[in-house]
Amino acid sequence: MNSKLKNKITTELQLEIINFLHQEAYLLDSRKYKEWLNLLTDDLVYRMPLRETVEGVGANNIAEDSAFFEETKKSLTTRANRLYTKSAWVENPATRQRHFITNILVESTANPNEFKVRSYFLFKRSRGSSHTIEEMFGERNDIIRKVNDEYKIAERTIYPDQAVITTMNMSMFL
Amino acid sequence: MINKTLDEKAFHLLKEKMEQGLLPQWVITDPDIYELEIEKIYGYTWQFLGHETELKEPGSYITRWMVNDPILLVKNRNGEINAFLNSCTHRGTMLCTADRGNKKTFTCPYHGWSFNTDGDLVGIVAGNKVYGEEMCKAEWNLRKVPRVESYQGMIFGNLDVNAEPLEDYLGEMKWYFDILLGRSGGMEVKGLPQRWVAKANWKATAENFAADPYHVQTTHRSTVEMGISPEDPLYAGYGHQVVLENGHGINVITSKTGKARVPFQSMPESIWPLFEEHLSPKQLDIQSRVTVFVGGVFPNLSFVSPIHGTEGHLHNYLNFRMWRPLGPDKVEVWCWFMIDKAAPEEYKDAAYKGYLGSFGPSGTLEQDDTENWARIVEVSKGLMMRDKELNYNNVNNYLMGLGRVEPDENFPGPGVAYPTTYLDAIARSMHEHWLKYISKGLFVKEESK
C-alpha cells in the first residue's frame, strides 16, 4: 500500500468528510430527500452497476454493461420527488431504513477541492410487521467536492456485493 | 417416482368457480398446488433461457435456471448454442457457477472431469489408470436439455422430449413477437439481466403483466400525481386486449383516439424505414398506433414495451422478464433490457436510462408493483381462504367484461381481440390453461412408477 503523502489529508479534513457522510445518511434515513438533493452537485454522476459472479482469481466482477442506477441530478430529483407523493405505495406506509456507513477512507486528488472517498455501506430496511429484515451491502466510491466552503457529492459509484438483490425493490438511495 | 395428483372434488369445485369468473384465493399459495405446478406445468412447457445476443463468441456461456434445474448455455466452435444440465456427470456437482464468461472447456472442481463446448467429456484425471481403457467417455457427456428451440432470437428449453415444437406452442404469439423482436431486423440484450427476489407468487406476477392494465391508474398513481401520466382513469385501457392460444396474451394499448400518442413509440426516425421492410401492413398498422405493448407467454415469461424517460425525453425499449418460482410465495425475477440492434448508440443509452427509471427493481413504476404482489401472498394462506365445507368462499373476482365485452372482428392481428384492455379475458384464459396442466392425469391415483 502506498502510504506516501500527496496533498496532506489532515485529521480535521478527514473528520469533516466523515461527518458529512454521516449527515447524509441521517437525511436519507429521516426521509429528508429534498435536503439530501442539496448535497449533490449539479453535474453529479450517480451510478450503480451490477455485481456478477465470474470465474478466475482477481477477475473483475463488476458488470459495467449493466446497472441498477445510471442517474443525473435531474433524474434523481424525479425519483426523490415521487417519494413525496401520497401514492408511491412502496414508501407509503414508509419503510424504516438505516444506512450504516463505515470504513471511510479519504484520499486527495489532483484537484485540491476534490477528494476521493471510499466507504462501505450496510443498508437495512424493515417494512410493516414483516419479520424479515431486508438488506443490501457493498462499497461506494465518491468524489466529494468542496463548493463555497460546503461539501457536495460530485460523483458516486455504488458496488453492491449481491449478484441477486434481496430487497423487494430499490426505492432507496445508497 | 410418485405421481402427484389433485383431489377430484377440489378439481370439480375449482372448475365450477372458474367457469363463473371466480378464482378461489387459496390456490395462489397452497403448497400442494405449488408442487403440482412445478411438476406438471414447468415439466412440460417451454421455458425462456436467454437471448441469442447474450452469447456472442464461440465459447461464450451463460448460466440459467429452469425452476430448480441449473442450465448451462454455451456457444460451440461452430456458433451453435447448446443447453446442458449444469451438473458434472461424475458425481453431479454443479459444473459452472459463474453468471457468464468464455471458455473452451468446463472443468469440475471436485475430481477434474472436463467437458468441451459440445458437452463432450474430454478429460478424466488419471482416466486410463483408474477407469481402464474400456470406459466409454461418450456415455458420460453432459446431459442436454431435452428440447431447445428459438424464435426471433429467444431461446427456450423444454424438459419434455415429446413437447410440441416451440413455434406451435407460441402459436399466435409469433405474429406479435415478429413486431416486438423483429420490427427492425432484431433486438439485442444489454449486459446481464437484473435479478432480485420478491415476496410474490409467480402466477400473480405473470398475470400482472399479461392481463392487467387495470392496475396502472391506481398502482402507478404517483406518476399521475407527478404529472407524468394522464389524469384520465381510462388512459391505460384504450386499445385491445388480445387473448392468444395456449394461455398467452398481449395488450395493445393505444390512446383515446386509437392513434399513437407519439409516432412509433418515440423510436428514432433513422430506423422507421426498417419497420416497413420487416413488418406486414397489418403489423405496421399496429406498431404505428401503439403506446404500450404488455403481455405474457404462459407460464412465466412476461414483456413490456413502453415509452419512458427520466430526463424529459421519451424512449422506447423492450423489457422481458422471467418469474422463476422459488416457493409458493417467492420468485426470483430476471429482467432483460432489449433494444433494436439498428438503433443509434446514443438512443440505446438513453433508452437504458429510461428503462432504469421505470422498470427493473429500481424503476419508479416497478417499486409499487412489488408492494401489491407481496400483499397478495401475505393474505392467501389463511384458514378463511377456504372453509371447512370446501366451498372455497374466498374467491378473486375475474368478472371484468365477462359476457359484456364482445371481440372486435376488425382488429388486424390474430387472437381474440377485445376493444379495451380493462378486461379479465387474458387472466381467465391463463387460469384455464393452468387448470388444464395441473389436472392432467387427474384420475391417476398415487402410484410408484
Side-chain angles (χ1 to χ4, degrees), chain B residues 141-439:
Chain B
N141 292 339
L142 290 181
R143 280 155 288 185
K144 290 197 164 175
V145 174
R147 295 280 295 279
V148 180
E149 289 168 26
S150 61
Y151 188 74
Q152 287 283 12
M154 304 285 283
I155 310 164
F156 290 76
N158 198 314
L159 298 179
D160 176 17
V161 76
N162 299 315
E164 62 180 326
L166 173 66
E167 292 206 20
D168 293 352
Y169 180 77
L170 290 174
E172 294 164 338
M173 182 58 95
K174 281 195 302 177
W175 196 87
Y176 299 93
F177 265 23
D178 290 344
I179 304 178
L180 288 162
L181 295 149
R183 64 194 183 190
S184 63
M187 306 297 271
E188 63 185 16
V189 166
K190 181 172 163 63
L192 276 174
Q194 296 164 324
R195 279 189 286 163
W196 76 101
V197 176
K199 188 159 66 173
N201 180 271
W202 69 270
K203 296 190 289 298
T205 52
E207 181 188 293
N208 178 236
F209 271 71
D212 194 353
Y214 182 49
H215 80 285
V216 172
Q217 176 69 14
T218 310
T219 303
H220 305 304
R221 172 85 198 154
S222 67
T223 60
V224 178
E225 281 193 63
M226 296 280 291
I228 300 167
S229 300
E231 281 281 351
D232 177 0
L234 287 169
Y235 80 89
Y238 300 118
H240 288 81
Q241 179 164 99
V242 192
V243 179
L244 305 174
E245 54 194 358
N246 297 333
H248 317 319
I250 188 168
N251 297 276
V252 180
I253 302 174
T254 53
S255 69
K256 194 171 185 174
T257 61
K259 302 227 164 61
R261 275 202 201 113
V262 284
F264 290 117
Q265 293 184 291
S266 279
M267 282 185 281
E269 281 191 55
S270 64
I271 67 168
W272 292 4
L274 294 171
F275 303 156
E276 259 181 72
E277 199 179 304
H278 290 95
L279 301 178
S280 72
K282 286 179 175 179
Q283 288 169 321
L284 189 65
D285 171 46
I286 288 183
Q287 178 67 77
S288 71
R289 288 188 290 123
V290 70
T291 301
V292 180
F293 286 115
V294 60
V297 175
F298 187 85
N300 66 333
L301 180 67
S302 301
F303 57 82
V304 58
S305 169
I307 315 171
H308 273 291
T310 45
E311 297 279 345
H313 307 288
L314 294 175
H315 294 85
N316 170 248
Y317 57 80
L318 177 59
N319 169 214
F320 263 93
R321 59 216 9 249
M322 190 268 287
W323 317 101
R324 175 191 168 203
L326 293 179
D329 55 2
K330 212 175 190 188
V331 289
E332 185 178 78
V333 192
W334 289 64
C335 209
W336 287 261
F337 170 86
M338 295 188 197
I339 192 78
D340 302 76
K341 259 187 230 170
E345 288 305 314
E346 55 273 27
Y347 186 90
K348 293 178 186 176
D349 291 345
Y352 193 60
K353 286 180 185 162
Y355 159 71
L356 295 178
S358 46
F359 284 95
S362 59
T364 52
L365 294 173
E366 184 107 30
Q367 290 170 21
D368 298 322
D369 283 320
T370 51
E371 188 62 23
N372 290 320
W373 304 338
R375 290 193 193 192
I376 293 172
V377 297
E378 271 163 8
V379 300
S380 298
K381 297 173 193 168
L383 283 176
M384 280 179 77
M385 287 298 149
R386 54 181 101 195
D387 65 26
K388 286 178 183 157
E389 307 305 318
L390 273 182
N391 285 327
Y392 306 128
N393 278 340
N394 210 88
V395 286
N396 284 329
N397 177 330
Y398 288 95
L399 293 165
M400 192 163 42
L402 181 61
R404 291 175 58 237
V405 182
E406 293 302 316
D408 175 358
E409 303 296 339
N410 297 318
F411 186 74
V416 181
Y418 295 91
T420 170
T421 66
Y422 285 180
L423 202 65
D424 288 330
I426 293 177
R428 288 193 300 267
S429 162
M430 289 169 74
H431 299 155
E432 269 169 37
H433 279 81
W434 168 82
L435 187 64
K436 188 188 90 185
Y437 276 100
I438 64 163
S439 62

Side-chain angles (χ1 to χ4, degrees), chain A residues 52-53 55 65-68 70 72 74 79 82 85-87 89-90 127 164-165 168-171, chain B residues 99-100 103 191-192 194-197 199 218-219 221-222 225 311 352 356 361-362 367-368 370-371:
Chain A
E52 66 178 311
T53 308
E55 285 196 342
D65 56 0
S66 322
F68 289 116
E70 224 24 286
T72 59
K74 188 175 178 190
R79 286 175 178 276
R82 197 186 74 90
T85 64
K86 284 186 201 133
S87 52
W89 308 116
V90 61
R127 301 166 63 80
V164 182
I165 298 300
M168 275 278 286
N169 50 60
M170 293 170 65
S171 61
Chain B
D99 296 326
R100 63 177 171 181
K103 273 165 166 302
L192 276 174
Q194 296 164 324
R195 279 189 286 163
W196 76 101
V197 176
K199 188 159 66 173
T218 310
T219 303
R221 172 85 198 154
S222 67
E225 281 193 63
E311 297 279 345
Y352 193 60
L356 295 178
S362 59
Q367 290 170 21
D368 298 322
T370 51
E371 188 62 23

Side-chain angles (χ1 to χ4, degrees), chain B residues 94-116:
Chain B
M94 191 186 284
L95 191 59
C96 178
T97 52
D99 296 326
R100 63 177 171 181
N102 191 290
K103 273 165 166 302
K104 288 197 180 83
T105 51
F106 296 85
T107 303
C108 177
Y110 198 3
H111 302 91
W113 285 30
S114 57
F115 304 85
N116 66 15

